[in-house]
Amino acid sequence: AQSVTQLDSHVSVSEGTPVLLRCNYSSSYSPSLFWYVQHPNKGLQLLLKYTSAATLVKGINGFEAEFKKSETSFHLTKPSAHMSDAAEYFCVVSDRGGGGNKLTFGTGTQLKVEL
Amino acid sequence: DTGVSQDPRHKITKRGQNVTFRCDPISEHNRLYWYRQTLGQGPEFLTYFQNEAQLEKSRLLSDRFSAERPKGSFSTLEIQRTEQGDSAMYLCASSLEGASQAFFGQGTRLTVV
């Protein structure tokens, strides 16, 4: 069975400062890991994905995440936050190695960006 | 093709009534998934189809829930005798078999009063 733990339910940053959203995973398989973002009244959008290639994954809107097997972590970072980044972020693990299979979501981290 | 579409976007129903939601996946995608998201939580897997075959169901999917994908294209999710605990966002996603990404619709928000 697989699971993800998002360590912070809420994160608040100032515009222009770095963003760090933490995620730890547990998986019986070699995992595929994803970060999705959910803006109010909009669908879930894929930010980035790790599928056993490069451990540092770059995504859209300047986000990136690093897969660290020794720490079972997949933290999401961005060097400089923008007001438009305010949203809910979900760390997700997929069984059987692909996002085309069942996804297990974390409980989410609400990111607030202040002026 | 504009992505995964779900209908309706919002549904308010009285407790005990039946409701049905529809999902139209991206046309060439053979896998279709249903998830449920309650307030303050991440989406939880309910069930998925490969073509018309329902391959897996979560234990969250009680006997009051049924999903179909009769022709391997659109899918419906029916909830019978709705309860207040069924109030949630119901999300549909689709993908190609073996692909590394699933695409989500905007969801149907169900409120049971």
Side-chain angles (χ1 to χ4, degrees):
Chain A
Q2 63 283 329
S3 66
V4 288
T5 302
Q6 292 185 244
L7 299 164
D8 307 291
S9 60
H10 293 82
V11 169
S12 183
V13 300
S14 298
E15 191 175 33
T17 64
V19 175
L20 170 64
L21 305 183
R22 298 183 294 166
C23 172
N24 286 99
Y25 71 90
S26 171
S27 176
S28 303
Y29 303 93
S30 179
S32 286
L33 293 159
F34 309 81
W35 277 96
Y36 279 84
V37 61
Q38 188 175 41
H39 288 91
N41 301 316
K42 292 190 176 180
L44 285 159
Q45 181 183 18
L46 180 68
L47 276 180
L48 50 80
K49 59 187 178 186
Y50 166 77
T51 54
S52 76
T55 56
L56 182 62
V57 181
K58 293 188 183 298
I60 61 171
N61 300 335
F63 284 95
E64 61 182 39
E66 186 171 8
F67 173 72
K68 292 186 177 180
K69 186 175 181 179
S70 60
E71 299 176 8
T72 61
S73 70
F74 190 59
H75 302 332
L76 182 70
T77 60
K78 183 174 181 178
S80 176
H82 191 273
M83 294 296 290
S84 61
D85 295 328
E88 183 106 31
Y89 291 79
F90 293 97
C91 182
V92 182
V93 63
S94 171
D95 69 349
R96 303 193 189 95
N101 293 296
K102 181 175 66 177
L103 303 177
T104 300
F105 285 74
T107 51
T109 298
Q110 185 72 44
L111 175 65
K112 183 178 180 182
V113 182
E114 299 172 320
L115 286 171
Chain B
D1 189 286
T2 57
V4 178
S5 62
Q6 294 187 244
D7 182 70
R9 293 289 309 280
H10 303 273
K11 178 71 176 179
I12 301 174
T13 191
K14 292 184 178 179
R15 190 172 48 188
Q17 296 295 304
N18 299 343
V19 294
T20 300
F21 310 140
R22 177 180 170 123
C23 171
D24 287 272
I26 293 172
S27 57
E28 64 268 26
H29 287 182
N30 58 349
R31 287 199 170 180
L32 186 148
Y33 305 80
W34 286 99
Y35 289 82
R36 181 172 69 186
Q37 184 179 18
T38 53
L39 202 61
Q41 299 296 316
E44 295 174 294
F45 170 79
L46 292 179
T47 188
Y48 92 91
F49 294 82
Q50 181 161 310
N51 301 310
E52 66 275 10
Q54 189 173 16
L55 295 187
E56 188 174 346
K57 291 194 291 186
S58 163
R59 64 178 183 275
L60 294 175
L61 212 66
S62 77
D63 291 344
R64 297 183 297 105
F65 287 70
S66 62
E68 293 183 343
R69 195 183 183 197
K71 296 181 181 179
S73 56
F74 73 92
S75 176
T76 57
L77 178 67
E78 180 183 18
I79 309 174
Q80 296 182 325
R81 305 181 302 283
T82 52
E83 302 172 355
Q84 284 190 319
D86 297 332
S87 295
M89 176 77 83
Y90 290 84
L91 294 165
C92 178
S94 71
S95 75
L96 287 167
E97 182 182 357
S100 60
Q101 182 177 349
F103 294 82
F104 282 83
Q106 292 187 283
T108 294
R109 182 171 294 285
L110 173 67
T111 303
V112 182
V113 298

